[in-house]
Amino acid sequence: MKAASPIGVFDSGLGGLTVFGALARRMPEEALIYFGDTARVPYGSKSPEAIARFSAQAARFLASRGIKLLVVACNTSSALALPAIRRAARVPVIGVIEPGARAAAAVTRGRVGIVGTEATVRSGAYPRALRALSARIKTESRPCPLFVPLVEEGWWNGPVVAAVAARYLAPLKAARVDALILGCTHYPYLKPAIARAMGPRVRLIDSAEETARETERALEGLGLRAPRGRRGRREFYASDAPDRFRRLARRMLGPGVGQVKLHSFDA
Ligand code: DGL
């Protein structure tokens, strides 16, 4: 492991690009390799066993590219598969749950809403992480399974998104939460619609920035920060339809997104 080695970033699809963007803004000199498992997205409706198997494969692939640290930019994998990912990656691993919980605990007056995939909500990972930070925080969780396909389809605003958001979020609004954890890295794409549905008094928590901060701290602790000065290399892989991934990634990150290579797990 060398300081000049890249950081690996992994998600089931486009969602982890919200974390990738935060890492690139915070540490422009770091080389970053992204893998989106577009052949198998969504993970959120799969079994824990499938999620662990897919996540471990992704971790092994990124490890084979010589990464110095792995950021699991997927709440579903972070909630259900961290032990399998750690065994496969053999480098330090950072998930998105703890950073998101910390960011929510820092701003809430006591009632935190959590939205995520079915698997993440069922795992109870966020309520557990919040309870560990403060016994007085009350939580209310709701799965929003249609959000991920809307994002992967490129429908990030408009009347369909507004109607889906209003329906999913009504119980959280009724529970009078004052902070809402976007517990899926796809959801920040829908932030304007989610903010409109929740109203101006609810703080939306997107764990991307907090995860980037934690990654920086971890690299500093390990003495593995890349030398300052030159911009790090950016590399993108998808397990299916790399051109489609590139088109949407450019909409998200800008025209700097270069070639997206195919890495398939099929024999
Ligand atoms: N973006 C991922 C997450 O944070 C996964 C969404 C999915 O594949 O269902 O949970």
Side-chain angles (χ1 to χ4, degrees):
M1 244 187 293
K2 294 196 303 281
S5 304
I7 300 171
V9 184
F10 145 65
D11 180 50
S12 59
L14 286 165
L17 291 177
T18 53
V19 179
F20 183 98
L23 289 165
R25 278 191 300 278
R26 191 168 188 91
M27 298 178 282
E29 62 286 345
E30 294 290 345
L32 301 171
I33 303 191
Y34 187 91
F35 174 69
D37 197 0
T38 48
R40 303 189 287 203
V41 66
Y43 280 13
S45 48
K46 307 279 191 309
S47 67
E49 295 72 27
I51 294 164
R53 185 156 38 88
F54 297 167
S55 305
Q57 277 179 335
R60 261 193 300 277
F61 165 62
L62 287 168
S64 77
R65 313 292 307 163
I67 57 172
K68 60 183 175 185
L69 178 141
L70 176 62
V71 178
V72 183
C74 174
N75 289 261
T76 309
S77 298
S78 299
L80 287 125
L82 272 190
I85 293 171
R86 288 213 161 96
R87 278 195 300 277
R90 296 162 176 273
V91 292
V93 173
I94 291 181
V96 284
I97 305 278
E98 311 291 329
R102 262 201 312 278
V107 300
T108 184
R109 291 186 305 280
R111 273 176 196 276
V112 177
I114 298 147
V115 284
T117 66
E118 287 173 89
T120 299
V121 168
R122 211 176 319 116
S123 77
Y126 272 108
R128 246 191 331 274
L130 286 162
R131 255 196 317 276
L133 292 167
S134 160
R136 69 174 184 93
I137 297 177
K138 297 213 177 358
T139 60
E140 186 72 35
S141 307
R142 281 285 179 281
C144 303
L146 289 176
F147 280 173
V148 171
L150 285 170
V151 169
E152 293 283 327
E153 190 58 32
W155 288 24
W156 300 347
N157 41 47
V160 174
V161 175
V164 173
R167 174 132 178 205
Y168 277 147
L169 301 174
L172 294 164
K173 216 173 157 191
R176 307 175 82 82
V177 301
D178 59 60
L180 179 67
I181 297 182
L182 306 181
C184 170
T185 49
H186 280 73
Y187 298 179
Y189 289 85
L190 309 179
K191 227 180 207 172
I194 294 173
R196 264 195 303 277
M198 292 306 293
R201 275 194 287 279
V202 177
R203 292 280 291 268
L204 300 187
I205 311 291
D206 155 1
S207 48
E209 296 299 331
E210 191 66 26
T211 302
R213 215 170 293 138
E214 173 149 343
T215 304
E216 184 177 35
R217 271 198 300 270
L219 288 175
E220 265 156 17
L222 293 161
L224 285 177
R225 283 286 272 115
R228 317 287 152 110
R230 276 227 313 273
R231 183 178 177 279
R233 197 162 41 88
R234 312 277 183 248
E235 237 181 299
F236 297 90
Y237 291 88
S239 55
D240 193 23
D243 292 339
R244 182 175 193 281
F245 180 93
R246 179 166 187 249
R247 187 163 33 83
L248 291 164
R250 292 182 82 159
R251 200 170 133 194
M252 160 74 188
L253 294 175
V257 176
Q259 196 200 349
V260 178
K261 288 173 241 166
L262 178 69
H263 178 78
S264 160
F265 295 114
D266 298 337

